[in-house]
């Protein structure tokens, strides 16, 4: 596949400034650290690959293949995180028969670290989701769903901090408005809060209070709504916040050939990515870290 | 670590007391999951018993079809469409009635929502998944007779065998204009409220069906169309749907 590689932002000035500012470091060879973020979204119970006769996705997808791919990436870089942006459930008889048990068990075997919750994850009601929690050896994050008055209380955290190779990674979750999308009988007393405000709060907490080196938003609010541009979306969250490095999205089943680079509220770059649906693709974003005087992230070169 | 190293470290710490780790480079791409990748045998072996069980269950026989039924057989009503619309009516009405003490007047589905034929021979759960692979579920909508008339206009113009249940009788004249429309044998009363069972796709305006909004009430039954079919087929030794007179066009 022919992919256009380009360097988004790496002006000579930035490079010179960093070199000048970090002159002393050249005495001690600074170690570059690499964190690999792998991600899926809207897998919708697609455990088996599509068959050869499938009209659209012939021979694509499949958890057993995803497993071997992830394994080889982990061998290359053990500092790899595996994330899912929701809608794990619903789409094949595996869900109709087992209610999500197999999906969670397989994700645990693939060593998923964190997932957020999609609207279809309520398809067997919040009780149906809760019933599968024992099968999940990974954690759920959602910062804008308040589950206090539901069975999911204490099973979902606003964010999760993971440290790999000394790099502190903060991951918070965002979920879509359930009213109008999911029957109230299904989500019960789950309370939805505005994702923008929550994202502003979360990024501040993770960056300033928790001093995370990398802030990731795991979202199921949708990439962007062309016909309703003001509707809250990943693109709008990217523009309205600061200190988020990467937004991994879902819900709109948007097949992005490469991550989108968006400017945040202070003009810095944010990556927004989504890999369609049904486990047809695996998203991979590598972050390289240098230690030294804080250089703004916009100085980072982005190769997509 | 030598003294020199430690000194250097101290110096660095001193100078860069607010030193932080920063991102110097980001690379992003997506990777295709396809048959060029190896299959993890561990994962495959884990899935296998689940798959076997599902396949066995999907192949369990719930009824019998004396003929093959296709949505292509018939003009304005088809045997398979009549089967589905009548099944939605008869399985949903008890649920709706129990909840609201009201009755459904009739069902409207969409021709495009019939996703597969029912083949002659044993009817299995897999057959129901074939006909209705999606998760669409039954919605009952309360609309005024005026909107039911809009629906009749829509059906007359669509000229497709959108499935309706037998409580509705729609006859078009030779120019495809509505000649008569009756519910339970009575003409449509513009002042009356009708309870129409449909699916959530059409309720949301699918196939250009705009007559469900505004409405006087929406009742989500949490009943998937596929489950309606499975429940309905299980009650019948033999499926014997017929093309009938419920939706026809007069020739002259
Ligand atoms: Zn989805």
């Amino acid at each position: 596949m022919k992919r256009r590689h380009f360097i988004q932002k790496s002006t000579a000035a930035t490079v010179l400034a960093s070199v000048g500012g970090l002159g002393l470091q050249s005495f001690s060879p600074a170690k570059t650290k690499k964190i690999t973020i792998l991600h899926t979204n809207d897998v919708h119970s697609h455990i088996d690959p599509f068959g050869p006769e499938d009209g659209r996705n012939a021979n694509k997808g499949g958890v057993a293949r995803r497993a071997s791919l992830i394994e080889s990436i982990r061998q290359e870089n053990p500092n790899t995180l595996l994330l899912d942006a929701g809608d794990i459930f619903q789409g094949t008889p595996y869900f109709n028969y087992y209610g999500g048990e197999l999906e969670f068990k397989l994700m645990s075997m693939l060593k998923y670290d964190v997932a957020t919750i999609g609207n279809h994850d309520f398809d067997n009601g919040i009780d149906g989701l809760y019933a599968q929690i024992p099968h999940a050896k990974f954690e759920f994050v959602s910062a804008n769903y308040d589950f206090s008055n539901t069975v999911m209380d204490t099973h979902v955290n606003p964010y999760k901090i993971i440290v790999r190779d000394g790099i502190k990674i903060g991951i918070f979750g965002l979920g879509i408005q359930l009213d109008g999308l999911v029957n109230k009988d299904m989500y019960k007393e789950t309370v939805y809060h505005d994702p923008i405000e929550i994202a502003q709060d979360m990024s501040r907490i993770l960056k300033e209070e928790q001093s995370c080196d990398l802030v990731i938003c795991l979202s199921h609010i949708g990439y962007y709504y062309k016909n309703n541009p003001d509707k809250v979306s990943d693109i709008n969250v990217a523009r309205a916040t600061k200190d988020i490095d990467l937004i991994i999205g879902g819900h709109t089943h948007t097949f992005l050939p490469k991550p989108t680079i968006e400017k945040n509220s202070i003009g810095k770059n944010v990556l927004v990515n989504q890999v369609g649906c049904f486990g047809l693709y695996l998203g991979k974003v590598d972050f390289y870290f240098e230690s030294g005087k804080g250089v703004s992230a916009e100085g980072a070169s982005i190769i997509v | 670590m030598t003294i020199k190293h430690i000194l250097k470290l101290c110096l660095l710490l001193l100078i860069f007391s607010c030193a932080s780790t920063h991102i110097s480079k980001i690379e992003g791409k997506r990777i295709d999951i396809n048959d060029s990748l190896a299959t993890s045998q561990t994962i495959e072996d884990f899935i296998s018993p689940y798959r076997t069980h599902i396949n066995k269950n999907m192949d369990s026989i719930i009824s019998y079809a004396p003929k093959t039924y296709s949505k292509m057989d018939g003009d304005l009503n088809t045997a398979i469409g009549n089967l589905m619309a009548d099944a939605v009516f008869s399985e949903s009405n008890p649920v709706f009635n129990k909840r609201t003490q009201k009755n459904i007047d009739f069902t409207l589905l969409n021709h495009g929502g019939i996703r597969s034929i029912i083949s002659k021979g044993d009817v299995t759960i897999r057959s129901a998944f074939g006909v209705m692979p999606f998760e669409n579920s039954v919605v009952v909508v309360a609309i005024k007779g005026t909107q039911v008339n809009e629906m009749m206009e829509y059906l007359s113009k669509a000229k497709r065998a959108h499935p309706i249940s037998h409580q509705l009788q729609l006859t078009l004249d030779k120019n495809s204009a509505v000649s008569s429309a009756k519910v339970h044998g009575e003409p449509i009363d513009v002042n009356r409220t009708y309870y129409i069972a449909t699916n959530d796709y059409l309720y949301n305006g699918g196939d250009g069906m705009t007559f469900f909004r505004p409405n006087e009430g929406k009742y989500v039954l949490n009943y998937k169309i596929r489950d309606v079919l499975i429940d309905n087929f299980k009650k019948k030794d033999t499926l014997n749907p017929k093309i009938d007179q419920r939706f026809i066009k007069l020739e002259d």
Side-chain angles (χ1 to χ4, degrees):
Chain A
M1 193 200 286
K2 214 175 140 195
R3 186 169 286 140
R4 217 175 103 219
H5 284 255
F6 69 95
I7 294 179
Q8 172 74 9
K9 177 98 184 182
S10 177
T11 59
T14 342
V15 173
L16 284 175
S18 356
V19 171
L22 301 171
L24 256 174
Q25 273 214 323
S26 56
F27 291 106
S28 78
K31 193 191 159 216
T32 302
K33 293 178 177 180
K34 178 182 173 185
I35 300 289
T36 297
I37 306 296
L38 301 179
H39 61 94
T40 51
N41 59 276
D42 298 274
V43 178
H44 284 295
S45 307
H46 282 266
I47 288 166
D48 292 332
F50 284 89
E53 72 293 336
D54 188 85
R56 195 184 275 178
N57 302 313
N59 299 314
K60 287 180 154 193
V63 175
R65 291 171 184 162
R66 197 192 325 149
S68 70
L69 173 64
I70 289 164
E71 189 48 42
S72 68
I73 293 169
R74 285 192 203 278
Q75 262 159 29
E76 205 178 286
N77 182 15
N79 300 310
T80 291
L81 296 188
L82 178 56
L83 312 176
D84 185 274
D87 274 9
I88 294 164
F89 290 173
Q90 191 69 271
T92 71
Y94 285 110
F95 178 70
N96 304 105
Y97 278 75
Y98 296 105
E101 173 192 324
L102 186 58
E103 288 82 335
F104 280 5
K105 282 182 170 173
L106 290 169
M107 285 173 74
S108 304
M109 290 173 81
L110 268 61
K111 301 194 187 71
Y112 270 79
D113 294 284
V114 183
T116 195
I117 295 165
N119 45 303
H120 280 291
D121 299 319
F122 292 94
D123 277 11
N124 277 342
I126 193 161
D127 298 300
L129 174 60
Y130 173 73
Q132 303 307 331
I133 292 290
H135 303 300
K137 292 196 179 80
F138 51 92
E139 291 193 34
F140 289 95
V141 289
S142 182
N144 69 323
Y145 286 161
D146 180 354
F147 288 113
S148 307
N149 293 320
T150 74
V151 287
M152 287 298 284
D153 187 33
T154 74
H155 297 283
V156 182
N157 293 308
Y159 61 82
K160 164 87 181 162
I161 292 175
I162 299 173
V163 179
R164 288 285 157 88
D165 196 17
I167 302 287
K168 203 168 176 186
I169 306 150
I171 304 158
F172 72 94
L174 289 181
I176 194 161
Q177 178 151 30
L178 297 169
D179 182 34
L181 196 59
V182 179
N183 186 359
K184 175 95 163 74
D185 296 345
M186 293 289 171
Y187 65 82
K188 292 189 171 165
E189 297 307 313
T190 307
V191 179
Y192 164 88
H193 293 292
D194 175 49
I196 301 268
E197 277 170 46
I198 296 284
Q200 286 166 341
D201 245 34
M202 278 295 125
S203 48
R204 181 185 50 78
I205 290 169
L206 292 173
K207 198 75 187 182
E208 290 171 22
E209 292 177 19
Q210 303 289 336
S211 310
C212 288
D213 302 303
L214 182 62
V215 175
I216 298 173
C217 168
L218 200 51
S219 148
H220 196 81
I221 63 174
Y223 177 69
Y224 186 64
Y225 300 90
K226 233 183 6 221
N227 301 323
N228 192 2
D230 293 334
K231 184 177 160 83
V232 65
S233 62
D234 292 338
I235 293 292
N236 291 346
V237 167
R239 289 173 183 164
T241 56
K242 59 182 180 121
D243 293 326
I244 297 175
D245 297 294
L246 170 65
I247 299 175
I248 293 169
H251 187 63
T252 41
H253 296 198
T254 307
F255 288 90
L256 294 177
K258 58 183 187 183
T260 302
I261 301 162
E262 196 56 53
K263 292 278 182 223
N264 71 12
S265 65
I266 53 166
K268 287 189 188 176
N269 291 325
V270 192
L271 257 63
V272 182
N273 206 15
Q274 190 178 147
V275 288
C277 56
F278 306 157
L280 301 171
Y281 298 94
L282 180 70
K284 180 172 183 275
V285 185
D286 294 313
F287 288 91
Y288 295 84
F289 294 85
E290 310 279 349
S291 48
K293 198 170 183 176
V295 175
S296 62
E298 72 174 337
S301 58
I302 301 175
I303 303 163
V304 293
Chain B
M1 218 183 225
T2 64
I3 289 288
K4 206 175 133 195
H5 277 109
I6 291 166
L7 278 175
K8 202 185 287 174
L9 191 66
C10 290
L11 189 67
L12 276 171
L13 284 174
L14 198 72
I15 296 175
F16 300 119
S17 51
C18 60
S20 67
T21 305
H22 69 272
I23 301 164
S24 58
K25 187 170 76 164
I26 308 166
E27 285 177 335
K29 62 170 178 175
R30 73 174 186 188
I31 305 170
D32 289 63
I33 309 289
N34 57 34
D35 48 7
S36 71
L37 294 168
T39 294
S40 159
Q41 200 54 49
T42 318
I43 297 294
E44 183 55 31
D45 292 346
F46 191 82
I47 299 168
S48 177
Y50 289 85
R51 186 188 295 129
T52 307
H53 174 260
I54 288 175
N55 285 340
K56 217 174 119 191
N57 189 281
M58 290 276 269
D59 292 330
S60 63
I61 297 162
I62 53 175
S63 192
Y64 177 79
K67 285 166 57 178
T68 292
Y69 301 102
S70 160
K71 68 174 175 181
M72 305 317 288
D73 300 334
D75 295 322
L76 292 178
N77 76 89
T78 66
I80 190 171
N82 294 344
L83 171 71
M84 284 176 74
D86 289 341
V88 168
F89 181 89
S90 53
E91 302 306 322
S92 305
N93 196 46
V95 180
F96 180 66
N97 182 273
K98 201 173 158 204
R99 199 185 291 180
T100 65
Q101 282 75 54
K102 295 179 173 80
N103 287 305
I104 296 170
D105 287 294
F106 63 91
T107 298
L108 171 69
L109 300 174
N110 58 319
H111 188 245
I114 308 169
R115 306 302 297 185
S116 167
I117 58 169
I118 293 175
S119 297
K120 179 180 173 171
D122 291 332
V123 174
T124 61
I125 290 187
R126 192 183 300 282
S127 317
F129 268 85
V131 172
M132 193 55 226
F134 307 134
E135 304 306 314
N136 296 93
S137 58
V138 182
V139 176
V140 180
V141 196
I143 53 173
K144 270 276 175 291
T146 45
Q147 282 160 279
V148 176
N149 278 333
E150 280 175 42
M151 184 194 294
M152 299 307 119
E153 283 297 316
Y154 171 95
L155 290 170
S156 72
K157 291 193 175 75
K159 298 189 182 73
R160 293 186 77 186
H162 289 307
I164 56 176
S165 63
H166 69 79
Q167 296 80 12
L168 173 65
Q169 164 69 54
L170 176 60
T171 305
L172 308 183
D173 67 19
K174 64 177 195 298
N175 301 316
S176 292
V178 175
S179 163
S180 95
K182 289 179 175 173
V183 179
H184 307 290
E186 300 287 324
I188 292 161
D189 178 351
V190 291
N191 296 315
R192 211 196 109 181
T193 298
Y194 289 84
Y195 296 91
I196 318 296
T198 187
N199 62 47
D200 47 356
Y201 169 74
L202 298 180
Y203 172 75
N204 288 312
D207 282 9
M209 297 198 190
T210 53
F211 38 75
F212 289 121
R213 292 173 197 225
N215 55 62
E216 297 174 3
K218 171 204 179 192
Y219 307 84
V220 177
L221 302 191
N222 297 326
Y223 200 175
K224 288 177 188 170
I225 305 282
R226 181 175 54 241
D227 292 333
V228 164
L229 299 180
I230 292 169
D231 292 345
N232 188 258
F233 295 176
K234 277 182 175 168
K235 290 176 185 159
K236 297 169 175 166
D237 283 344
T238 303
L239 304 181
N240 204 8
K242 297 263 189 290
I243 296 173
D244 57 24
Q245 301 294 307
R246 66 184 73 184
F247 186 12
I248 53 165
K249 184 183 161 186
L250 300 172
E251 283 316 319
D252 55 290

